[in-house]
């Protein structure tokens, strides 16, 4: 018995333990991490079980472990803000419903620009081709004969985007305003390809809309003054 405990064969039982724990885990990262440890025990076993290591088995297990390791790195990158530069980390604050991985994907299709003069972003009654996020400077919204300053870190054009309708207001960015923008068609394509991303973006624009409604005044033509 003592001999068995100190033999190479015991390594298979450690591998079995880690694989079993891994397959019981629901979280993909934990599952893969435990399986990776299990693979390491298998490789040690194949190395020590004979006078000559079982190279074919070591190669097969090593290849699978390497693929698993690459996927673990991808998962960590998707779940963390690690490797985001400081500008991206700031913009990520405006995307609370997206995972870091989803955010990176969305940002790949975006452009960031600084208005060199007064720039019309949306015009009432016209379909928006772009959706904007104001990250610095000033943008003014014109609606119902009233001018409002668009709050920083707000989306512009999400109403038309969600409703597939024309812009409900005109918005002009002032000189020096910095905004990130996406082509509406690119965003729609991305959302069609991934249901989780679709849900995360709809939740995001809905939250942004709720914040705008919270700040807004009743519409002038529907106000009934209390006496
Ligand atoms: N009451 C409001 N408060 C804040 N932003 C608004 C308001 N009405 C319209 N907007 C923004 O102005 C944009 C004009 O185009 P959209 O209607 O597509 O989306 C609109 C919103 O992003």
């Amino acid at each position: 018995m003592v001999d068995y405990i100190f033999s190479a064969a015991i390594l298979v039982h450690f591998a079995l333990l880690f694989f079993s724990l891994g397959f019981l885990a629901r979280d993909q990262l934990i599952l893969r991490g435990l399986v990776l440890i299990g693979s390491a025990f298998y490789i040690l076993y194949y190395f020590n079980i004979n006078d000559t290591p079982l190279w074919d088995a070591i190669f097969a297990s090593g290849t699978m472990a390497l693929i698993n390791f690459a996927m673990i790195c991808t998962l960590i990158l998707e779940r963390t803000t690690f490797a985001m530069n400081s500008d991206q980390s700031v913009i990520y604050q405006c995307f609370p419903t997206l995972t870091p991985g989803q955010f990176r994907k969305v940002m790949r299709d975006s452009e960031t620009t600084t208005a060199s003069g007064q720039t019309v972003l949306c015009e009432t009654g016209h379909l928006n081709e772009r959706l904007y996020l104001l990250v610095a400077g000033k943008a003014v919204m014109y609606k119902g004969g009233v001018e409002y300053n668009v709050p920083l870190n707000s989306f512009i054009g999400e109403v038309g985007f969600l409703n597939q309708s024309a812009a409900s207001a005109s918005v002009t960015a002032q000189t020096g305003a910095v905004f990130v923008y996406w082509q509406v068609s690119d965003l729609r394509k991305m959302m069609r390809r991934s249901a989780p991303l679709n849900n995360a973006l709809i939740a995001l624009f809905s939250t942004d809309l709720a914040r705008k409604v919270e700040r807004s005044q009743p519409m002038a033509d529907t106000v009934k003054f209390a006496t």
Side-chain angles (χ1 to χ4, degrees):
M1 179 69 178
V2 174
D3 283 353
Y4 186 78
I5 289 172
F6 288 100
S7 71
I10 200 75
L11 294 167
V12 169
H13 296 282
F14 280 115
L16 172 67
L17 175 71
F18 281 100
F19 267 84
S20 305
L21 288 175
F23 291 139
L24 285 172
R26 287 171 189 267
D27 184 280
Q28 212 191 132
L29 195 56
I30 296 173
L31 185 160
R32 286 179 179 276
L34 290 166
V35 165
L36 189 66
I37 298 172
S39 301
F41 277 109
Y42 265 128
I43 291 170
L44 278 176
Y45 169 77
Y46 295 139
F47 205 83
N48 291 295
I49 194 65
N50 259 345
D51 291 341
T52 41
L54 304 179
W55 290 116
D56 291 340
I58 291 172
F59 174 76
S61 291
T63 306
M64 284 190 282
L66 219 66
I67 293 170
N68 191 17
F69 180 70
M71 290 307 294
I72 287 174
C73 293
T74 309
L75 278 175
I76 291 174
L77 209 66
E78 272 176 12
R79 290 186 186 187
T80 62
T81 53
F82 176 73
M84 260 186 213
N85 64 36
S86 58
D87 284 351
Q88 283 187 328
S89 297
V90 171
I91 297 174
Y92 180 55
Q93 311 291 317
C94 304
F95 290 78
T97 60
L98 270 66
T99 63
Q102 289 173 326
F103 171 71
R104 283 194 187 88
K105 194 184 277 181
V106 166
M107 287 308 286
R108 254 179 253 140
D109 270 357
S110 73
E111 301 275 348
T112 302
T113 192
T114 303
S116 53
Q118 289 220 341
T119 310
V120 175
L121 305 183
C122 305
E123 262 186 288
T124 309
H126 288 74
L127 275 182
N128 300 324
E129 284 180 12
R130 293 171 175 177
L131 187 131
Y132 303 88
L133 173 69
L134 179 70
V135 288
K138 210 172 143 187
V140 180
M141 191 188 86
Y142 308 89
K143 191 173 188 179
V146 187
E147 268 186 37
Y148 308 84
N149 285 332
V150 176
L152 275 185
N153 302 326
S154 301
F155 288 95
I156 299 166
E158 80 292 355
V159 178
F161 184 80
L162 287 175
N163 293 340
Q164 307 207 15
S165 62
S168 59
S170 296
V171 181
T172 303
Q174 307 298 297
T175 309
V178 181
F179 46 89
V180 182
Y181 67 88
W182 295 261
Q183 298 297 333
V184 165
S185 54
D186 290 344
L187 266 186
R188 288 205 197 286
K189 208 183 292 168
M190 239 188 294
M191 289 167 78
R192 268 198 303 273
R193 281 200 205 119
S194 160
L197 182 60
N198 181 61
N199 295 340
L201 283 172
I202 288 177
L204 178 72
F205 298 141
S206 306
T207 310
D208 187 79
L209 270 175
R211 266 197 296 131
K212 286 174 178 163
V213 172
E214 192 182 23
R215 283 199 209 103
S216 72
Q217 299 296 321
M219 287 175 284
D221 57 349
T222 60
V223 171
K224 187 177 169 199
F225 291 101
T227 48

